[in-house]
Amino acid sequence: MPTQTVYALGSSQVAVSGGGQLSGITQGDGSHLDGRTITLNSNAWEGVLIDDNDSDFTDNDTSQRLEGAQTFDGVAYDDNRIVEAEFSVIVEDSAGIQYTLFGFNIRQPGGSSFGTIEGLAFLENSAGTSAFPPIGEPLTVISTGEFPSTPYATLAAPPCFTPGTMIATPSGPRDVADLSVGDLVLTLDHGPQPIRWVGRTTLPKAVLENEERFRPVRITKDAFGVGKPCRTMRVSPQHRVFVTGWRAQLYFGADELLVTAVNMCNDQTIRREDVIEEVTYIHMLFDQHEVIWSDGLLTESYFPAGKEKTGADVELKALFPDRFQATQTDMAARPCLSDKRAIALSA
């Protein structure tokens, strides 16, 4: 089933006026919140990976299940738990701006637990901005409703994650900037794998102005399908994206390919960014070349191998011989395409 990502704020970070709570306990229509205010006390949004057989996040859908064991709001949950949008709430801030919230429910074993709410998910507005209410401000509940349903593509992704790509791990999505050697990352082919090396390179504005080849490629939300990626992301130009489908088979005779981002630029959903102040690239090395989930999109791990080595590969192998020569194999995870024929895949 397709993997979706829902970003939610844990109930421990939410206050309800009058001693109230998000959970309805005996009912799940949200009416217990009528006449109250809801205050978000932090912006600690957490990404939850969900398997679903359709493109909508709804109430009473037993096909919506956790993809792997995950931790949310400090609580560990088993793989395959049913999750749902229990109810909807429309709130208004002091400026009169309205926001739509969904009661995020993870079912407990042995019962439906439809009245318990583990957190709140948020709906993007039509402009894709101001999706998240202000922090620390009491938000007046205007209306509530039962049986909400919305496409995953319309759910908001938190702006605080923009500088860092969210990587799928056994404990849930984590900012790539927070990952370290030894941390486990979910891979497409070999399950959880430990990181063997992390490299960081920051390029200042002066370099980006003079060297277009170093400017990041911007991949917009849903460029490769709903939730792929789940929000707009940036990668280095030579970073490869996992591509499959009829185009890969028709044009290149392969079911699955790894294609460099810069060669798929189409000036619409995938394009090279203009000069920015600076950019930091983070590389992760595993025992072998892997395909991993980044912002919901399958991409490659760092691969300092192959028949044609770049100057950077030679330098890194000299600097870190124990990491590269002792662990990394020369086998790519998938056939790699690095020329301009790749534009056919992003049409």
Side-chain angles (χ1 to χ4, degrees), residues 104-155:
F104 183 73
N105 170 245
I106 303 176
R107 288 194 187 180
Q108 305 300 317
S112 64
S113 67
F114 61 85
T116 64
I117 301 300
E118 279 65 45
L120 293 173
F122 305 84
L123 182 69
E124 267 193 355
N125 64 19
S126 59
T129 58
S130 300
F132 293 96
I135 303 301
E137 178 181 334
L139 307 166
T140 302
V141 175
I142 305 174
S143 66
T144 59
E146 197 170 11
F147 306 119
S149 178
T150 188
Y152 286 98
T154 66
L155 292 173

Side-chain angles (χ1 to χ4, degrees), residues 126-334:
S126 59
T129 58
S130 300
F132 293 96
I135 303 301
E137 178 181 334
L139 307 166
T140 302
V141 175
I142 305 174
S143 66
T144 59
E146 197 170 11
F147 306 119
S149 178
T150 188
Y152 286 98
T154 66
L155 292 173
C160 59
F161 286 162
T162 301
T165 301
M166 299 301 290
I167 303 298
T169 76
S171 60
R174 292 181 58 188
D175 190 331
V176 67
D178 296 331
L179 293 173
S180 303
V181 172
D183 288 343
L184 294 177
V185 169
L186 294 178
T187 70
L188 179 63
D189 300 315
H190 304 107
Q193 291 293 312
I195 299 172
R196 297 303 187 188
W197 178 83
V198 176
R200 291 175 172 82
T201 302
T202 298
L203 303 178
K205 182 178 180 179
V207 172
L208 299 174
E209 286 178 334
N210 296 322
E211 296 284 350
E212 182 184 18
R213 62 194 177 95
F214 291 136
R215 298 174 194 168
V217 171
R218 182 182 182 89
I219 303 175
T220 60
K221 178 181 176 181
D222 302 331
F224 291 91
V226 176
K228 301 177 183 180
C230 59
R231 65 190 182 91
T232 296
M233 64 185 297
R234 296 188 303 165
V235 296
S236 60
Q238 297 302 317
H239 199 101
R240 287 182 280 247
V241 176
F242 182 84
V243 175
T244 186
W246 67 266
R247 289 185 178 88
Q249 183 61 242
L250 176 64
Y251 293 123
F252 308 106
D255 292 327
E256 299 173 339
L257 292 169
L258 285 168
V259 185
T260 51
V262 70
N263 290 122
M264 289 188 288
C265 287
N266 55 20
D267 292 327
Q268 298 177 33
T269 58
I270 306 172
R271 62 180 178 83
R272 194 192 293 270
E273 285 199 333
D274 294 329
V275 177
I276 54 179
E277 289 301 316
E278 67 175 28
V279 64
T280 297
Y281 293 131
I282 300 177
H283 310 283
M284 292 186 298
L285 183 76
F286 299 90
D287 287 340
Q288 56 195 328
H289 194 211
E290 299 285 4
V291 178
I292 62 177
W293 285 270
S294 52
D295 284 337
L297 181 68
L298 286 168
T299 61
E300 67 169 355
S301 67
Y302 188 57
F303 184 43
K307 293 181 180 179
E308 296 181 7
K309 304 292 194 300
T310 66
D313 294 333
V314 174
E315 179 180 88
L316 286 169
K317 282 203 170 190
L319 292 173
F320 304 96
D322 58 328
R323 294 296 183 195
F324 286 72
Q325 295 174 4
T327 61
Q328 180 72 222
T329 70
D330 285 337
M331 293 295 295
R334 294 294 189 280

